[in-house]
Amino acid sequence: MIRSVILALAATVLAVAPCFAQAVGHVQVKFVKAALVVGGGGGSGTLTYRGRHYRFIASGFSLGVTAGASVTWLEGTASGIRDVNDFAGSYALVGAGGAWAGGVGGVSLRNEHGVVLALKGPKAGLEFAANLGGLTISLR
């Protein structure tokens, strides 16, 4: 009797669990940046999450050893999303990279809601960077 109650309870939990499971989103963003020690930039992109597309804008800053200007097309994943509104927020990053007429950029960021972005992609321009920075994402 107890075993059947436990099995029935387990089946109910397993049937309900996917509704609350975190799904991984796909992110594409174009980011334009200019810097000389202190830098700033902005861009826009699309989050694809649970079959829907959400447009967003991103703005950021950097402080450290930075010089140049670049355009980066980043693509990757957003994990830890429980609700699409968790994607918006302030992200902290630590990164390094460079481009001389072309190169590759990559970054890992985390926001206050626990969402982690893992992005990489081609970079065009002339830039060297080893810095700390932040990024703010707002859904449109």
Side-chain angles (χ1 to χ4, degrees), residues 5 13 29 31 49 61 68 71 78 88 95 102 104 117 120 131 139-140:
V5 171
V13 170
V29 62
F31 200 77
Y49 178 68
F61 74 92
V71 176
V104 176
L117 302 181
K120 63 181 176 179
N131 53 43
L139 291 170
R140 286 187 181 180

Side-chain angles (χ1 to χ4, degrees), residues 46-103:
T46 304
L47 165 68
T48 303
Y49 178 68
R50 295 192 173 181
R52 295 193 59 197
H53 302 286
Y54 300 91
R55 294 178 54 174
F56 66 88
I57 55 172
S59 60
F61 74 92
S62 63
L63 177 62
V65 181
T66 306
S70 66
V71 176
T72 306
W73 295 268
L74 297 171
E75 187 170 1
T77 60
S79 59
I81 301 173
R82 294 181 193 275
D83 179 84
V84 71
N85 292 316
D86 291 345
F87 180 72
S90 299
Y91 288 81
L93 65 107
V94 176
W100 174 262

Side-chain angles (χ1 to χ4, degrees), residues 79 89-93 108-118 135:
S79 59
S90 299
Y91 288 81
L93 65 107
S108 181
L109 309 105
R110 182 182 183 105
N111 76 3
E112 68 272 20
H113 305 292
V115 175
V116 176
L117 302 181
L135 179 72

